[in-house]
């Protein structure tokens, strides 16, 4: 087997669209045994699956693959060509993905996990330079894109804010983009205006990734959010088709939910409950698009009613920087997702997500910290997933995804077994 056991099994379940329970029954093993085979190698309860199981799973996947071969022939070819934006290897919108191509990207992200978890290193992007251009505040997107590029062997140059860029001297987006293209091999751009990253992309032939364009889109965030949902559902034995997703908060200006609802809509028969303070509702065009794809949309102004039966609660911060302070009140306390309301409305296998940052200031009423020790809170597993997903994006856009598996070497240093103080409770959950 050229990939890890965990990647092989996850990939097989995804291709067959089976939950862990059904997959275990299909291959005739106990769910508990399958769970131990799905743990990361090196974790305490990890077990190697018998060779006969591996051969059997390969056989089933290949047969299913043959059946689907003709149906999928239209989607063949390198992933970066299938997701290209106007013929260029750029990632500007989640509209570039189909369900098949997004799951292909996630198979590559799975292969990146040993690197993201500091078990292996790779140098497939050695010599390549990333330009990180962030004209708006960021911690996660800027640093995780940079770290993802470095973990593939590349290096990073960055500039933050308008003040320290020549845009402060009146330089146009076109000139900045063309100049940067002479210095770096790929760019990630965050800019406060919707559509601005597409303008950068027009002025260059190097890969450009949209790191957030005002209230427009945040495709890499939505990709890592979907990857997190699928990974958590796999652990919980759930399928995304037919799931109930509650999106809570600023759905008007929150670009992460704009990208996420479009990506989720690639699946079948979802129920979306949209819970927003007055004036911050999801834009109509997204409601129309999602409705046309056969999903159920319920809009609610009551958190308590809207969360009942949810499989995923996705909370967002009020994007105060995008409107005048007096225009909208923001969250009142009854919009706060906290332990009491999650306990009251949802079951033990709900997952609570947030793109972060959460606004921890008094009176903000953003996602409560009282869920921090609750395993249903997935926000740090979500941020950790930013690395393998962003590594996969770079590997695909730069055409090196096929080289990663054979480039892996063991790490030479000793990373801590749990990177966060609360992670030990969750260790081996994956
Ligand atoms: N989720 C997100 O975009 O975070 P940053 O603003 O810190 O990049």
């Amino acid at each position: 087997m050229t990939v890890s056991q965990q990647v092989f099994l996850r990939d097989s379940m995804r291709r067959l669209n089976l939950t862990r329970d059904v997959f275990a029954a299909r291959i005739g093993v106990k769910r508990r045994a399958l769970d131990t085979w799905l743990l990361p190698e090196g974790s305490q309860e990890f077990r190697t699956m018998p060779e006969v199981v591996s051969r059997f799973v390969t056989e089933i996947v290949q047969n299913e693959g043959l059946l689907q071969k003709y149906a999928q022939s239209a989607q063949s070819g390198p992933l970066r060509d299938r997701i290209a934006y106007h013929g260029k290897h750029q990632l500007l919108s989640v509209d570039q993905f189909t369900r098949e191509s997004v799951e292909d990207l996630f198979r590559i992200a799975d292969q990146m996990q040993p690197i993201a978890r500091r078990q292996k290193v790779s140098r497939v992007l050695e010599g390549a330079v990333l330009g990180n251009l962030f004209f708006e505040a960021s911690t996660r997107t800027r640093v995780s894109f940079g770290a993802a590029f470095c973990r593939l062997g590349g290096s990073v140059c960055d500039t933050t804010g308008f003040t320290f860029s020549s845009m402060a001297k009146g330089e146009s987006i076109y000139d900045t983009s063309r100049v940067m293209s002479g210095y770096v091999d790929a760019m990630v751009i965050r800019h406060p205006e919707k559509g601005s990253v597409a303008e950068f992309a027009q002025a260059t032939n190097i890969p450009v990734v949209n790191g957030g364009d005002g209230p427009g889109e945040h495709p890499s965030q939505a990709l890592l959010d979907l990857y997190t949902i699928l990974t958590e559902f796999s652990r919980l034995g759930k399928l995304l088709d037919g799931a109930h997703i509650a999106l809570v908060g600023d759905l008007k200006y929150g670009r992460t939910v704009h990208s996420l609802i479009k990506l989720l809509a690639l699946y079948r028969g979802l129920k979306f409950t949209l819970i927003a303070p007055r004036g911050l509702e999801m834009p109509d065009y997204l409601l129309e698009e999602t409705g046309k794809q056969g999903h159920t949309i319920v809009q609610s102004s009551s958190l308590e009613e809207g969360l009942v039966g949810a499989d995923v609660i996705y909370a967002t911060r009020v994007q105060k920087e995008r409107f005048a302070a007096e225009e909208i009140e923001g969250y009142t306390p009854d919009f706060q997702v906290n332990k009491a309301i999650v306990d009251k409305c949802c079951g033990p296998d709900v997952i609570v997500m947030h793109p972060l940052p959460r606004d921890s200031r008094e009176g903000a009423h953003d996602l409560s910290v009282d869920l921090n020790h609750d395993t249903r809170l997935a926000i740090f597993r979500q941020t950790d997933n930013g690395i393998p997903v962003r590594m996969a994006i770079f590997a695909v856009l730069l055409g090196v995804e096929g080289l990663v598996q054979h480039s892996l070497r063991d790490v030479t240093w000793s990373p801590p077994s749990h990177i966060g103080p609360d992670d030990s409770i969750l260790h081996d959950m994956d």
Side-chain angles (χ1 to χ4, degrees), residues 134 136-144 190 211-212 218 220-221 224-225 255-256 314 317 354-357 382-383 390:
F134 277 66
E136 222 186 33
S138 170
T139 297
R140 270 146 293 275
T141 314
R142 185 170 65 83
V143 178
S144 65
R190 172 171 286 188
H218 195 346
S220 66
Q221 178 70 47
L224 76 89
D225 292 340
R255 57 194 168 204
T256 66
Y314 189 97
R317 179 179 66 87
H354 191 300
L356 302 186
Q382 190 182 350
T383 49
R390 289 182 168 124

Side-chain angles (χ1 to χ4, degrees), residues 201-264:
Q202 276 167 12
T204 180
N205 288 331
I206 68 167
V208 168
V209 179
N210 182 358
D213 60 328
E217 276 215 42
H218 195 346
S220 66
Q221 178 70 47
L223 288 164
L224 76 89
D225 292 340
L226 177 58
Y227 181 78
T228 302
I229 292 170
L230 291 173
T231 307
E232 297 281 319
F233 274 24
S234 162
R235 173 176 63 77
L236 295 165
K238 290 181 170 185
L239 287 179
L240 182 49
D241 291 319
H244 177 188
I245 315 286
L247 303 177
V248 183
D250 182 351
L251 307 184
K252 180 176 181 182
Y253 296 105
R255 57 194 168 204
T256 66
V257 282
H258 298 168
S259 293
L260 183 59
I261 196 166
K262 289 201 270 183
L263 262 193
L264 287 167

Side-chain angles (χ1 to χ4, degrees), residues 5-6 14 41 54-55 62 93 98 133 159 187 196 202 231 249 252 277 308 421:
Q5 179 174 295
Q6 187 190 42
R14 236 184 241 145
E41 274 170 43
S54 162
R55 266 190 275 122
Q62 279 173 350
S93 164
T98 60
L133 275 65
T159 170
M187 283 189 274
S196 53
Q202 276 167 12
T231 307
K252 180 176 181 182
V308 174

Side-chain angles (χ1 to χ4, degrees), residues 54-69:
S54 162
R55 266 190 275 122
F56 184 47
V57 172
T58 307
E59 230 166 75
I60 308 177
V61 171
Q62 279 173 350
N63 281 342
E64 298 268 345
L66 276 177
L67 289 175
Q68 291 171 8
K69 195 175 165 192

